[in-house]
Amino acid sequence: MSREEDDAVALVRVYCGLASADPADRPASAGSTLTSAVVDDAGRLLHVCEISDDAAGYAQLVALLVERSGGPSGAAIAADSDDHTVTSLLSAAGRPLAIADDDSVDDFAERFADDDSLEEMQSPPAERRAVGLARALQAGALSAVTLPAPRDLAGYKQVLSAHAALASGRHSAAVALREVLRELYPAALRAYPDPAEPVSLAVLDALPEPGMLGGTVARGREVSVAADAIAAHLAADGVADAQEINDAVTALRVAISETPRRAAVNRALTSAVAETVRQAVASVRACDAGCEALVSALSARVSTPAPAPGRRAAARRGESVGELTGLSNTGT
């Protein structure tokens, strides 16, 4: 992605839809998940993925929205139920949120579907509902507002705000890392489409300067031994399995051999380049560590609700929704 494309992504206004699968359509052993869909200001589908309905899934959604909108508050969100853990956390964080009833969700899935996209028309029902919710927000059929925080999560506003700040900081740190690599270590960008991904970060921290894997032709055996040692060390640290790390190191080595060394980055600057890359990597990792600490604290406090009490699930089974109101308001 070019610098101009990065900037375009960072400035776009986005809308997010969250939809759950009907419990009747899922195996009993399946975990609770939500399908998230993100569209831009023109209704174009940018991203679809499944997230877990827990604190980790909330963190994943926040990171996605920050990446797509350039900030934690640059996105409106619509969901098919307020019984989800993720929606409870969104409300507690003060995020703009719209809740649609079951009939409206199905209507949006049909009304805002892209009939020209075969892939979209053949997508699973939960995905179509999520896309429909996102486009309903974009088209003005739904309006997201700040909802009252669930009583048992009201005291976690500060934690959620701190997490949002770290998520934004992580995005900025990742952008800075990409720019550092663009100027000082372009082979890394050739090897890693996302240099801020955990395995890429670990390899770059171990090999922060291209000369450490350079000279493959002249010193092939020596370089291979060094690369194997680094891969073994990272695997022992639990970064990833040995094969994945070996592939990442190999990709970097090939990229270095195919990327001309810039004259400005001479031997006199080698140590400065290595230190700069390591610090840029450390900045991303520091934000990750902070986010993980806060998510762990939230996970210890928030339990994922069983699918059955949800108002959407009850309505699909023909049960009385009113009888469940007390349950849904007592916590997540």
Side-chain angles (χ1 to χ4, degrees), residues 47-59:
H47 190 90
V48 176
C49 70
E50 272 200 353
I51 61 172
S52 54
D53 187 24
D54 53 20
Y58 168 82

Side-chain angles (χ1 to χ4, degrees), residues 30 74 82 125 275 306 311 325:
D82 59 357
E275 181 64 16
R311 285 194 283 272
T325 304

Side-chain angles (χ1 to χ4, degrees), residues 88 139 218 276 326:
S88 294
T276 300

Side-chain angles (χ1 to χ4, degrees), residues 123-176:
S123 61
E127 183 174 320
R128 295 189 65 187
R129 290 195 294 269
V131 173
L133 284 165
R135 289 190 177 135
L137 279 172
Q138 178 267 333
L142 281 175
S143 296
V145 297
T146 302
L147 300 176
R151 187 167 49 192
D152 60 338
L153 291 176
Y156 281 74
K157 169 74 172 175
Q158 294 86 350
V159 173
L160 294 165
S161 295
H163 176 268
L166 280 174
S168 294
R170 203 270 184 192
H171 176 69
S172 298
V175 171

Side-chain angles (χ1 to χ4, degrees), residues 135-231:
R135 289 190 177 135
L137 279 172
Q138 178 267 333
L142 281 175
S143 296
V145 297
T146 302
L147 300 176
R151 187 167 49 192
D152 60 338
L153 291 176
Y156 281 74
K157 169 74 172 175
Q158 294 86 350
V159 173
L160 294 165
S161 295
H163 176 268
L166 280 174
S168 294
R170 203 270 184 192
H171 176 69
S172 298
V175 171
L177 172 63
R178 179 176 289 275
E179 291 305 309
V180 166
L181 296 176
R182 194 191 308 277
E183 301 300 334
L184 302 178
Y185 202 166
L189 291 183
R190 183 192 291 259
Y192 306 132
D194 180 9
E197 184 270 334
V199 173
S200 302
L201 288 172
V203 173
L204 290 173
D205 186 54
L207 299 166
E209 196 278 316
M212 298 177 72
L213 279 179
T216 303
V217 175
R219 299 182 288 111
R221 179 178 296 277
E222 180 182 336
V223 170
S224 178
V225 170
D228 289 346
I230 289 169

